[in-house]
Amino acid sequence: MSNGPKLPPSIPEFLATYKDKDYVQGWAELWNKSEGDRLPWDRGFPNPALEDTLIEKRSIIGSPIAQDAQGNTYRKKALVPGCGRGVDVLLLASFGYDAYGLEYSATAVEVCKEEQAMNGDKYPIRDAEIGQGKITFVQGDFFEDAWLEKLHLTRNSFDLIYDYTFFCALNPSMRPQWALRHTQLLADSPPGHLICLEFPRHKDPSLQGPPWGSTSEAYMAHLSHPGEEIPYDANRQCSIDPSKAPSTQGLERVAYWQPARTHEVGKNEEGEVQDRVSIWRRRN
C-alpha cells in the first residue's frame, strides 16, 4: 500500500470528463490513482441490510442450494457487479452461494483478493449443512461478455445479483443498458433475483454524481422497461407515464421495504433510514 491515495480533489468532476461507455474507464483510473488504498466510498464491511435480506427474505430468494430437473443438487451463483473491495462477495459466499465479484479495474480485483486473504475469516459459514460457496473475482466490463467467457459461463447464469453502489455510480445515461444487462444475466429457471439496495434516495437527483441521487420510481421505470430510454425532467426526476405498460422483457418487483439497518450514509441528519431494498425477478 502507498502512503496515501493520489485521488483528484473532486471525484465527480474527474468522472465528468469521461463520457458514455468510457465512464467505467474513469472508475478504473480512480482505482489506479488510489494505488490500492481505501477509497472514499468504501465502508469496509457489507451493508447490514444485505445480511438481513439474506436471512429474512429467504422465502422469496430461496435457498443457496437448489436442484435441477434431474434432481441433482447444485450451488446457486451470485454476482456483485462493481464489487469494490469484495466484502459483499465474501458475505454471499458465507451464506452458501458461489459468489462472483466483477470489477472493471485490474487493481480493484487485486484489492479484492487481498481482502479475501486478510479478512476472509471474518465471514464464518452461516449454515454448516449448506457450507461456504466458492469465491471468484474477475476483471471485466459488466456490459460485455468477455468476462463470462473467462469464467466459462453463459448469459442467464446468475441466480442472484446484488446492486448497491453500482447503479448510483453509473452516469444516468447508462441506466437503460444497466437494466437490460440484468435481464441478460439473471437465470431463467428457476428465475433469478436481483436485490437492489436503493441509495442515495435522499440526495437531490439534480446534483452532480457520483453517487447519483435517484428515486425508487427510477428503479421501477428502468427495470420495468429495460433498454428503453426513460424520460427525466429538468431536475433529473423520472417522469415516465405511470400508465405505460411494462415491457414483456421487464423485471417485476416482488418485494420492497425500508430496512431496519443500513450504513450511516443511508440515513438523514435525524438518523432515519432513507435507503430502500427491492427484489426483482422476471415476469411470469
Side-chain angles (χ1 to χ4, degrees), residues 134-149:
K134 178 180 65 175
I135 297 168
T136 303
F137 295 108
V138 61
Q139 186 274 331
D141 185 341
F142 173 74
F143 300 98
E144 305 293 341
D145 286 344
W147 60 274
L148 288 171
E149 296 166 4

Side-chain angles (χ1 to χ4, degrees), residues 6 30-31 48 52 81 83-84 103 111 122 130 151 160 172 178 180 206 234 244 259 264 269 274 280:
K6 301 174 182 177
L30 285 177
W31 277 104
D52 293 345
C83 66
E103 267 292 347
V111 169
K122 294 181 179 180
I130 292 177
L151 299 172
L160 187 71
W178 168 90
L180 179 63
S206 68
K244 182 179 180 182
E264 290 301 312
E269 294 180 356
Q274 301 298 298
W280 307 77

Side-chain angles (χ1 to χ4, degrees), residues 83-154:
C83 66
R85 300 183 74 87
V87 294
D88 302 315
V89 179
L90 301 179
L91 179 69
L92 286 161
S94 76
F95 274 87
Y97 293 93
D98 280 345
Y100 297 79
L102 174 65
E103 267 292 347
Y104 187 80
S105 163
T107 299
V109 171
E110 292 306 311
V111 169
C112 288
K113 293 177 180 178
E114 291 177 11
E115 183 73 23
Q116 179 184 1
M118 296 177 60
N119 297 312
D121 57 357
K122 294 181 179 180
Y123 301 84
I125 294 173
R126 299 306 181 103
D127 187 323
E129 293 186 4
I130 292 177
Q132 178 171 307
K134 178 180 65 175
I135 297 168
T136 303
F137 295 108
V138 61
Q139 186 274 331
D141 185 341
F142 173 74
F143 300 98
E144 305 293 341
D145 286 344
W147 60 274
L148 288 171
E149 296 166 4
K150 288 182 190 177
L151 299 172
H152 305 291
L153 297 175
T154 61

Side-chain angles (χ1 to χ4, degrees), residues 253-269:
R253 191 173 72 181
V254 295
Y256 175 75
W257 70 97
Q258 176 181 319
R261 302 191 298 159
T262 192
H263 285 322
E264 290 301 312
V265 293
K267 301 177 183 179
N268 63 18
E269 294 180 356

